[in-house]
Amino acid sequence: MKYYYAEHEDAYRRLRAEGLAQWSALFGEAEGFDAFPNREFLEDALSRLDVSGDVLEYGCGTGPAACYLAARGFRVEAIDLIPQAIELARGFAAERGLEVDFGVQDICELADEPAGKQYDLIVDSYVLQSIVMDDDRARLFAAVRARLKGFYLISTAVYEPERVYGDGFRYDASSGICYQGDRDVPHRRHLPASALRAEIERAGFEVVSQDGGNLVCTI
């Protein structure tokens, strides 16, 4: 089991048990289903880009961004590695009368599968920060690159000097990796914004614009 699975499985189990609508609600950071963290970025990016058609969102969670995009007329496929997240997402979309093709899938594993389709838009809603190790990040980028014909929108946390890592966490400045626990389990990767941009460009993407951890990319 990948290092990023257990945390996310536990989170979506808690969401369902507590009747919450999305991940950020676990930390008191969301006012409802439609107030998802990267909504402002998506609104701004889509106002500037000439894009329509097919969307793939990976790490969709309970589906707020996927539903937002579907309501705007996109044909949306949305995946998450946690089955409980997809169950919740399907329910929220049905409540809103929206058609979204949800599925259980790890974006990193898609690197091993032929790209049967290309998308006008691929969206990362705070997934990249949880894909910590170099090999996994390379696989994620490879999966996206093989499926992208338009724009790649990334929202991820970046390194902030004022960020405080609590007890039980260790931040390695040389790699940007935050480890958890005595066994140093990979937890997050918080790169400085400039290092994040360089990594994405090395992966074969062109960065059209960047505001911290919000990037518009293409190939």
Side-chain angles (χ1 to χ4, degrees):
M1 183 181 295
K2 282 288 189 178
Y3 53 85
Y4 46 76
Y5 191 92
E7 176 196 8
H8 290 79
E9 182 182 44
D10 179 66
Y12 288 109
R13 185 182 295 117
R14 286 176 55 201
L15 278 168
R16 185 165 58 181
E18 297 175 26
L20 301 174
Q22 56 170 300
W23 177 285
S24 54
L26 290 171
F27 308 96
E29 298 173 356
E31 297 178 0
F33 184 78
D34 296 315
F36 55 93
N38 57 333
R39 176 169 182 150
E40 183 176 352
F41 167 60
L42 292 183
E43 289 176 340
D44 177 67
L46 294 177
S47 72
R48 294 184 283 112
L49 300 175
D50 182 16
V51 60
S52 61
D54 295 310
V55 177
L56 172 65
E57 184 196 11
Y58 61 85
C60 67
T62 59
C67 287
Y68 165 79
L69 292 164
R72 288 182 63 105
F74 288 96
R75 296 181 295 274
V76 182
E77 297 175 33
I79 60 174
D80 199 284
L81 77 161
I82 305 300
Q84 294 95 325
I86 293 301
E87 290 174 12
L88 290 166
R90 286 173 174 154
F92 285 125
E95 288 174 5
R96 288 157 176 77
L98 296 170
E99 292 188 12
V100 179
D101 184 5
F102 288 107
V104 178
Q105 179 68 61
D106 183 340
I107 182 62
C108 296
E109 300 303 319
L110 283 181
D112 297 327
E113 299 184 14
K117 182 177 180 178
Q118 290 190 312
Y119 297 87
D120 301 285
L121 196 66
I122 297 182
V123 177
D124 178 318
S125 297
Y126 293 96
V127 174
L128 185 58
Q129 64 200 39
S130 295
I131 308 301
V132 174
M133 308 309 291
D134 287 342
D135 287 349
D136 292 323
R137 290 166 77 90
R139 286 165 60 79
L140 181 155
F141 288 136
V144 171
R145 199 169 53 244
R147 291 162 174 79
L148 182 66
K149 64 177 180 179
F151 294 99
Y152 179 28
L153 306 184
I154 302 172
S155 295
T156 188
V158 294
Y159 171 72
E160 299 172 353
E162 65 273 17
R163 187 192 302 274
V164 176
Y165 294 93
D167 293 342
F169 293 91
R170 178 178 68 84
Y171 181 74
D172 175 32
S174 65
S175 65
I177 297 176
C178 173
Y179 295 95
Q180 181 178 20
D182 295 336
R183 294 184 298 160
D184 274 351
V185 176
H187 179 65
R188 294 288 185 271
R189 194 155 192 177
H190 295 152
L191 293 171
S194 59
L196 174 64
R197 181 183 185 119
E199 178 190 32
I200 290 168
E201 290 176 338
R202 287 195 303 271
F205 300 98
E206 175 188 350
V207 177
V208 177
S209 66
Q210 179 179 12
D211 180 10
N214 291 320
L215 300 97
V216 176
C217 310
T218 189
I219 51 174

Short mmCIF file of all heavy atoms in Angstrom, two decimals, residues 17-59:
data_model
loop_
_atom_site.label_atom_id
_atom_site.label_comp_id
_atom_site.label_asym_id
_atom_site.label_seq_id
_atom_site.Cartn_x
_atom_site.Cartn_y
_atom_site.Cartn_z
N ALA A 17 -18.62 9.77 8.12
CA ALA A 17 -19.17 9.56 9.46
C ALA A 17 -19.68 10.87 10.07
O ALA A 17 -20.68 10.87 10.80
CB ALA A 17 -18.11 8.93 10.36
N GLU A 18 -19.00 11.98 9.77
CA GLU A 18 -19.34 13.27 10.37
C GLU A 18 -20.28 14.10 9.50
O GLU A 18 -20.65 15.21 9.88
CB GLU A 18 -18.06 14.05 10.67
CG GLU A 18 -17.16 13.36 11.68
CD GLU A 18 -15.82 14.07 11.88
OE1 GLU A 18 -15.76 15.30 11.64
OE2 GLU A 18 -14.84 13.41 12.27
N GLY A 19 -20.65 13.57 8.34
CA GLY A 19 -21.57 14.29 7.46
C GLY A 19 -20.98 15.54 6.86
O GLY A 19 -21.71 16.52 6.61
N LEU A 20 -19.68 15.53 6.59
CA LEU A 20 -19.01 16.69 6.03
C LEU A 20 -18.92 16.57 4.51
O LEU A 20 -19.00 15.48 3.95
CB LEU A 20 -17.61 16.85 6.63
CG LEU A 20 -17.57 17.03 8.15
CD1 LEU A 20 -16.14 17.04 8.66
CD2 LEU A 20 -18.30 18.31 8.56
N ALA A 21 -18.71 17.71 3.84
CA ALA A 21 -18.82 17.73 2.38
C ALA A 21 -17.49 17.63 1.65
O ALA A 21 -17.47 17.25 0.48
CB ALA A 21 -19.54 19.01 1.93
N GLN A 22 -16.39 17.99 2.29
CA GLN A 22 -15.12 17.96 1.58
C GLN A 22 -13.96 17.94 2.58
O GLN A 22 -14.12 18.25 3.76
CB GLN A 22 -14.98 19.15 0.62
CG GLN A 22 -15.13 20.50 1.29
CD GLN A 22 -14.74 21.63 0.37
OE1 GLN A 22 -13.61 21.69 -0.09
NE2 GLN A 22 -15.66 22.52 0.08
N TRP A 23 -12.77 17.60 2.05
CA TRP A 23 -11.56 17.41 2.85
C TRP A 23 -11.28 18.60 3.77
O TRP A 23 -11.01 18.44 4.96
CB TRP A 23 -10.38 17.17 1.91
CG TRP A 23 -9.05 17.03 2.57
CD1 TRP A 23 -8.27 18.01 3.10
CD2 TRP A 23 -8.32 15.80 2.75
NE1 TRP A 23 -7.10 17.49 3.60
CE2 TRP A 23 -7.10 16.14 3.40
CE3 TRP A 23 -8.56 14.48 2.43
CZ2 TRP A 23 -6.14 15.18 3.72
CZ3 TRP A 23 -7.60 13.52 2.75
CH2 TRP A 23 -6.42 13.87 3.39
N SER A 24 -11.32 19.81 3.24
CA SER A 24 -10.95 20.98 4.03
C SER A 24 -11.89 21.21 5.21
O SER A 24 -11.54 21.89 6.17
CB SER A 24 -10.88 22.23 3.16
OG SER A 24 -12.08 22.42 2.45
N ALA A 25 -13.09 20.63 5.15
CA ALA A 25 -14.02 20.76 6.26
C ALA A 25 -13.50 20.06 7.52
O ALA A 25 -13.89 20.42 8.64
CB ALA A 25 -15.39 20.21 5.87
N LEU A 26 -12.64 19.07 7.34
CA LEU A 26 -12.06 18.39 8.50
C LEU A 26 -11.22 19.34 9.34
O LEU A 26 -10.97 19.08 10.52
CB LEU A 26 -11.20 17.21 8.03
CG LEU A 26 -11.94 16.02 7.43
CD1 LEU A 26 -10.95 15.05 6.82
CD2 LEU A 26 -12.80 15.33 8.48
N PHE A 27 -10.76 20.43 8.73
CA PHE A 27 -9.90 21.39 9.42
C PHE A 27 -10.60 22.73 9.62
O PHE A 27 -9.97 23.73 9.92
CB PHE A 27 -8.61 21.59 8.60
CG PHE A 27 -7.94 20.29 8.27
CD1 PHE A 27 -8.16 19.67 7.05
CD2 PHE A 27 -7.12 19.66 9.19
CE1 PHE A 27 -7.54 18.46 6.73
CE2 PHE A 27 -6.50 18.45 8.89
CZ PHE A 27 -6.73 17.85 7.67
N GLY A 28 -11.92 22.73 9.45
CA GLY A 28 -12.70 23.94 9.65
C GLY A 28 -12.43 25.02 8.63
O GLY A 28 -12.64 26.21 8.89
N GLU A 29 -12.00 24.61 7.42
CA GLU A 29 -11.59 25.58 6.40
C GLU A 29 -12.59 25.72 5.26
O GLU A 29 -12.32 26.44 4.30
CB GLU A 29 -10.23 25.18 5.83
CG GLU A 29 -9.11 25.18 6.88
CD GLU A 29 -7.82 24.63 6.36
OE1 GLU A 29 -7.80 24.17 5.19
OE2 GLU A 29 -6.82 24.64 7.10
N ALA A 30 -13.72 25.05 5.32
CA ALA A 30 -14.69 25.13 4.23
C ALA A 30 -16.06 25.50 4.78
O ALA A 30 -16.47 25.03 5.85
CB ALA A 30 -14.78 23.79 3.50
N GLU A 31 -16.77 26.35 4.06
CA GLU A 31 -18.10 26.79 4.48
C GLU A 31 -19.21 25.96 3.84
O GLU A 31 -20.36 26.13 4.17
CB GLU A 31 -18.28 28.27 4.14
CG GLU A 31 -17.31 29.18 4.87
CD GLU A 31 -17.48 30.63 4.47
OE1 GLU A 31 -18.35 30.91 3.63
OE2 GLU A 31 -16.75 31.48 4.99
N GLY A 32 -18.84 25.07 2.95
CA GLY A 32 -19.82 24.24 2.28
C GLY A 32 -19.21 23.58 1.07
O GLY A 32 -18.04 23.80 0.73
N PHE A 33 -20.01 22.78 0.39
CA PHE A 33 -19.52 22.00 -0.74
C PHE A 33 -18.93 22.88 -1.83
O PHE A 33 -17.92 22.54 -2.44
CB PHE A 33 -20.67 21.15 -1.30
CG PHE A 33 -20.27 20.23 -2.41
CD1 PHE A 33 -19.62 19.03 -2.14
CD2 PHE A 33 -20.59 20.54 -3.73
CE1 PHE A 33 -19.27 18.17 -3.18
CE2 PHE A 33 -20.25 19.69 -4.76
CZ PHE A 33 -19.58 18.50 -4.49
N ASP A 34 -19.55 24.01 -2.09
CA ASP A 34 -19.13 24.84 -3.21
C ASP A 34 -17.95 25.75 -2.88
O ASP A 34 -17.39 26.38 -3.78
CB ASP A 34 -20.31 25.70 -3.70
CG ASP A 34 -21.44 24.85 -4.25
OD1 ASP A 34 -21.15 23.91 -5.00
OD2 ASP A 34 -22.61 25.10 -3.89
N ALA A 35 -17.54 25.82 -1.63
CA ALA A 35 -16.42 26.69 -1.23
C ALA A 35 -15.13 25.88 -1.17
O ALA A 35 -14.45 25.84 -0.15
CB ALA A 35 -16.72 27.34 0.12
N PHE A 36 -14.80 25.25 -2.28
CA PHE A 36 -13.61 24.40 -2.28
C PHE A 36 -12.35 25.25 -2.49
O PHE A 36 -12.39 26.33 -3.08
CB PHE A 36 -13.73 23.30 -3.34
CG PHE A 36 -14.01 23.77 -4.74
CD1 PHE A 36 -12.99 24.01 -5.63
CD2 PHE A 36 -15.32 23.97 -5.16
CE1 PHE A 36 -13.24 24.44 -6.92
CE2 PHE A 36 -15.60 24.40 -6.46
CZ PHE A 36 -14.55 24.64 -7.34
N PRO A 37 -11.20 24.77 -2.01
CA PRO A 37 -10.01 25.63 -1.91
C PRO A 37 -9.50 26.22 -3.22
O PRO A 37 -8.99 27.33 -3.22
CB PRO A 37 -8.96 24.71 -1.28
CG PRO A 37 -9.76 23.72 -0.50
CD PRO A 37 -10.99 23.48 -1.30
N ASN A 38 -9.58 25.48 -4.32
CA ASN A 38 -9.02 26.02 -5.57
C ASN A 38 -10.09 26.62 -6.49
O ASN A 38 -9.85 26.84 -7.67
CB ASN A 38 -8.22 24.96 -6.32
CG ASN A 38 -9.01 23.70 -6.65
OD1 ASN A 38 -9.96 23.39 -5.95
ND2 ASN A 38 -8.61 22.99 -7.68
N ARG A 39 -11.27 26.92 -5.94
CA ARG A 39 -12.31 27.48 -6.78
C ARG A 39 -11.91 28.83 -7.38
O ARG A 39 -12.10 29.08 -8.58
CB ARG A 39 -13.62 27.64 -5.99
CG ARG A 39 -14.71 28.31 -6.82
CD ARG A 39 -16.07 28.27 -6.20
NE ARG A 39 -17.03 28.89 -7.09
CZ ARG A 39 -18.31 28.56 -7.16
NH1 ARG A 39 -18.78 27.59 -6.40
NH2 ARG A 39 -19.13 29.17 -7.98
N GLU A 40 -11.35 29.72 -6.56
CA GLU A 40 -10.98 31.04 -7.05
C GLU A 40 -9.95 30.93 -8.17
O GLU A 40 -10.02 31.65 -9.18
CB GLU A 40 -10.44 31.90 -5.91
CG GLU A 40 -10.09 33.32 -6.32
CD GLU A 40 -9.64 34.16 -5.16
OE1 GLU A 40 -9.74 33.70 -4.01
OE2 GLU A 40 -9.18 35.31 -5.41
N PHE A 41 -8.99 30.03 -8.00
CA PHE A 41 -7.98 29.82 -9.04
C PHE A 41 -8.62 29.32 -10.33
O PHE A 41 -8.31 29.80 -11.42
CB PHE A 41 -6.92 28.85 -8.55
CG PHE A 41 -6.01 28.34 -9.64
CD1 PHE A 41 -5.24 29.22 -10.39
CD2 PHE A 41 -5.94 26.99 -9.93
CE1 PHE A 41 -4.40 28.74 -11.40
CE2 PHE A 41 -5.11 26.51 -10.94
CZ PHE A 41 -4.34 27.39 -11.67
N LEU A 42 -9.52 28.34 -10.23
CA LEU A 42 -10.18 27.81 -11.43
C LEU A 42 -10.99 28.90 -12.11
O LEU A 42 -10.96 29.02 -13.35
CB LEU A 42 -11.07 26.62 -11.07
CG LEU A 42 -10.37 25.34 -10.60
CD1 LEU A 42 -11.40 24.25 -10.36
CD2 LEU A 42 -9.34 24.88 -11.62
N GLU A 43 -11.73 29.67 -11.34
CA GLU A 43 -12.53 30.74 -11.93
C GLU A 43 -11.65 31.72 -12.70
O GLU A 43 -11.98 32.12 -13.82
CB GLU A 43 -13.31 31.48 -10.84
CG GLU A 43 -14.46 30.66 -10.25
CD GLU A 43 -15.15 31.38 -9.11
OE1 GLU A 43 -14.54 32.30 -8.53
OE2 GLU A 43 -16.29 31.02 -8.79
N ASP A 44 -10.53 32.10 -12.08
CA ASP A 44 -9.64 33.05 -12.73
C ASP A 44 -9.00 32.45 -13.98
O ASP A 44 -8.95 33.09 -15.04
CB ASP A 44 -8.55 33.49 -11.75
CG ASP A 44 -7.55 34.42 -12.39
OD1 ASP A 44 -7.93 35.56 -12.74
OD2 ASP A 44 -6.39 34.02 -12.58
N ALA A 45 -8.51 31.22 -13.87
CA ALA A 45 -7.86 30.59 -15.01
C ALA A 45 -8.81 30.41 -16.18
O ALA A 45 -8.48 30.71 -17.34
CB ALA A 45 -7.27 29.24 -14.59
N LEU A 46 -10.01 29.95 -15.90
CA LEU A 46 -10.98 29.71 -16.98
C LEU A 46 -11.47 31.00 -17.61
O LEU A 46 -11.88 31.01 -18.77
CB LEU A 46 -12.15 28.88 -16.45
CG LEU A 46 -11.79 27.45 -16.00
CD1 LEU A 46 -13.00 26.75 -15.42
CD2 LEU A 46 -11.20 26.65 -17.16
N SER A 47 -11.42 32.09 -16.86
CA SER A 47 -11.80 33.38 -17.44
C SER A 47 -10.76 33.87 -18.45
O SER A 47 -11.06 34.70 -19.31
CB SER A 47 -11.99 34.43 -16.35
OG SER A 47 -10.74 34.84 -15.79
N ARG A 48 -9.53 33.35 -18.33
CA ARG A 48 -8.45 33.79 -19.20
C ARG A 48 -8.13 32.82 -20.33
O ARG A 48 -7.48 33.19 -21.31
CB ARG A 48 -7.18 34.02 -18.37
CG ARG A 48 -7.29 35.16 -17.38
CD ARG A 48 -5.99 35.41 -16.64
NE ARG A 48 -5.73 34.42 -15.60
CZ ARG A 48 -4.75 33.51 -15.64
NH1 ARG A 48 -3.95 33.46 -16.68
NH2 ARG A 48 -4.57 32.67 -14.64
N LEU A 49 -8.56 31.58 -20.19
CA LEU A 49 -8.20 30.56 -21.16
C LEU A 49 -9.35 30.28 -22.12
O LEU A 49 -10.52 30.27 -21.72
CB LEU A 49 -7.82 29.26 -20.44
CG LEU A 49 -6.64 29.33 -19.47
CD1 LEU A 49 -6.47 28.00 -18.76
CD2 LEU A 49 -5.36 29.72 -20.21
N ASP A 50 -9.01 30.02 -23.35
CA ASP A 50 -10.00 29.61 -24.34
C ASP A 50 -10.02 28.09 -24.35
O ASP A 50 -9.28 27.43 -25.09
CB ASP A 50 -9.61 30.16 -25.71
CG ASP A 50 -10.64 29.79 -26.79
OD1 ASP A 50 -11.76 29.39 -26.41
OD2 ASP A 50 -10.30 29.89 -27.98
N VAL A 51 -10.85 27.52 -23.49
CA VAL A 51 -10.86 26.07 -23.34
C VAL A 51 -12.28 25.59 -23.07
O VAL A 51 -13.06 26.24 -22.36
CB VAL A 51 -9.90 25.62 -22.21
CG1 VAL A 51 -10.31 26.23 -20.87
CG2 VAL A 51 -9.80 24.11 -22.12
N SER A 52 -12.60 24.45 -23.66
CA SER A 52 -13.89 23.78 -23.43
C SER A 52 -13.67 22.31 -23.74
O SER A 52 -12.59 21.91 -24.17
CB SER A 52 -14.97 24.37 -24.35
OG SER A 52 -14.62 24.19 -25.72
N GLY A 53 -14.70 21.51 -23.50
CA GLY A 53 -14.61 20.11 -23.89
C GLY A 53 -14.40 19.17 -22.73
O GLY A 53 -15.11 19.22 -21.72
N ASP A 54 -13.38 18.30 -22.86
CA ASP A 54 -13.20 17.19 -21.94
C ASP A 54 -12.20 17.52 -20.83
O ASP A 54 -11.12 18.06 -21.09
CB ASP A 54 -12.69 15.96 -22.70
CG ASP A 54 -13.71 15.44 -23.70
OD1 ASP A 54 -14.87 15.25 -23.30
OD2 ASP A 54 -13.35 15.24 -24.88
N VAL A 55 -12.58 17.15 -19.62
CA VAL A 55 -11.76 17.42 -18.43
C VAL A 55 -11.47 16.10 -17.71
O VAL A 55 -12.35 15.25 -17.57
CB VAL A 55 -12.49 18.36 -17.44
CG1 VAL A 55 -11.66 18.56 -16.18
CG2 VAL A 55 -12.78 19.70 -18.09
N LEU A 56 -10.24 15.98 -17.22
CA LEU A 56 -9.89 14.94 -16.26
C LEU A 56 -9.43 15.64 -14.99
O LEU A 56 -8.47 16.43 -15.03
CB LEU A 56 -8.78 14.04 -16.79
CG LEU A 56 -8.21 13.03 -15.79
CD1 LEU A 56 -9.26 12.00 -15.38
CD2 LEU A 56 -6.96 12.34 -16.35
N GLU A 57 -10.11 15.38 -13.89
CA GLU A 57 -9.62 15.84 -12.59
C GLU A 57 -9.16 14.63 -11.81
O GLU A 57 -9.92 13.67 -11.64
CB GLU A 57 -10.70 16.57 -11.78
CG GLU A 57 -10.11 17.11 -10.47
CD GLU A 57 -11.14 17.51 -9.44
OE1 GLU A 57 -12.34 17.20 -9.60
OE2 GLU A 57 -10.75 18.14 -8.44
N TYR A 58 -7.93 14.65 -11.34
CA TYR A 58 -7.46 13.55 -10.48
C TYR A 58 -7.36 14.04 -9.04
O TYR A 58 -7.12 15.22 -8.78
CB TYR A 58 -6.14 12.98 -10.99
CG TYR A 58 -4.96 13.92 -11.05
CD1 TYR A 58 -4.17 14.15 -9.92
CD2 TYR A 58 -4.60 14.54 -12.24
CE1 TYR A 58 -3.06 14.99 -9.97
CE2 TYR A 58 -3.49 15.39 -12.30
CZ TYR A 58 -2.72 15.60 -11.16
OH TYR A 58 -1.63 16.44 -11.22
N GLY A 59 -7.60 13.10 -8.12
CA GLY A 59 -7.67 13.48 -6.71
C GLY A 59 -8.90 14.33 -6.45
O GLY A 59 -8.85 15.31 -5.72
#
